[in-house]
Each structure stands twice: as C-alpha cells, then as structure tokens.
Amino acid sequence: MNVRDFAIGAVAGAVAGAAVVEAVNRADRNVSPDKVLEDVKNAFKKEGPIDGAWIVMKTEPFRQKAVEMDVYRGGLSREIEGSYEQYEFAADARTGTVVEINKI
C-alpha cells in the first residue's frame, strides 16, 4: 500500500464519519426533557413555590384538532394558601412549548 492509497482511505473515512454524525444530529432535534421540566417549574415558581415535579423522558404522540406533534408529559404539585394543587402538562418535544395544562 502506498501513501496515496492510505491518504484517500483516510479522507474517505473522515467524510463518512462526518456524514454519520450529521445524520444522527438531524434525527434528534428534540429539546431535552430536563430543559422542558425546568422551564415549566420556573414558570410556576413565579406564582409561588412548588413541592414536586416529574416528566416522562420518552415522547408520545399528541393531537389537538388538526395539529399533530410529539410531546413530553409531566406534572407538578404545589401548595397555595394551604390548598394542595396538582397539574399535568404536555409540551411540544421539538420546541419545549407547553401545549396543554390541566389542573387535577
């Protein structure tokens, strides 16, 4: 094997590796579920302290009227003026935008 063949192989390998990395990055464009939960918690903290919060790390399909998307489901609890409140939410997995909040 001469140097030329080795160089061609090395360059081809580097190009193929870069293409694989780019494909993987494109396939996973979702916001981190931890980031979504932190944003929801911060929004609720503006109204008072929260006691606990959770989020499902796997997305699920969500449909509201004609709009379809993958969402993270989660919830939180808090105590306001001696009253215990619980909420569930759904957030768009791609943007992190909350698309539904329900008081339980």
Side-chain angles (χ1 to χ4, degrees):
M1 175 190 291
N2 62 30
V3 174
R4 180 180 168 268
D5 292 341
F6 177 77
I8 290 172
V11 169
V15 169
V20 168
V21 168
E22 181 64 25
V24 168
N25 287 339
R26 281 189 193 167
D28 189 21
R29 298 262 181 188
N30 289 345
V31 175
S32 160
D34 292 323
K35 170 86 168 89
V36 171
L37 183 59
E38 192 63 33
D39 290 346
V40 172
K41 286 169 48 177
N42 288 336
F44 271 83
K45 284 180 183 177
K46 291 177 183 175
E47 297 179 355
I50 60 171
D51 293 330
W54 59 271
I55 193 163
V56 177
M57 302 299 249
K58 185 176 178 186
T59 62
E60 67 179 60
F62 177 81
R63 182 182 175 116
Q64 190 171 40
K65 306 284 185 211
V67 178
E68 294 182 29
M69 66 187 78
D70 288 333
V71 298
Y72 294 115
R73 293 268 183 194
L76 56 88
S77 59
R78 65 181 181 178
E79 188 175 342
I80 300 283
E81 298 174 6
S83 177
Y84 191 71
E85 298 178 342
Q86 289 184 319
Y87 296 88
E88 288 184 340
F89 66 87
D92 183 354
R94 293 215 182 263
T95 65
T97 303
V98 174
V99 293
E100 179 181 68
I101 297 178
N102 295 312
K103 185 175 179 181
I104 302 173

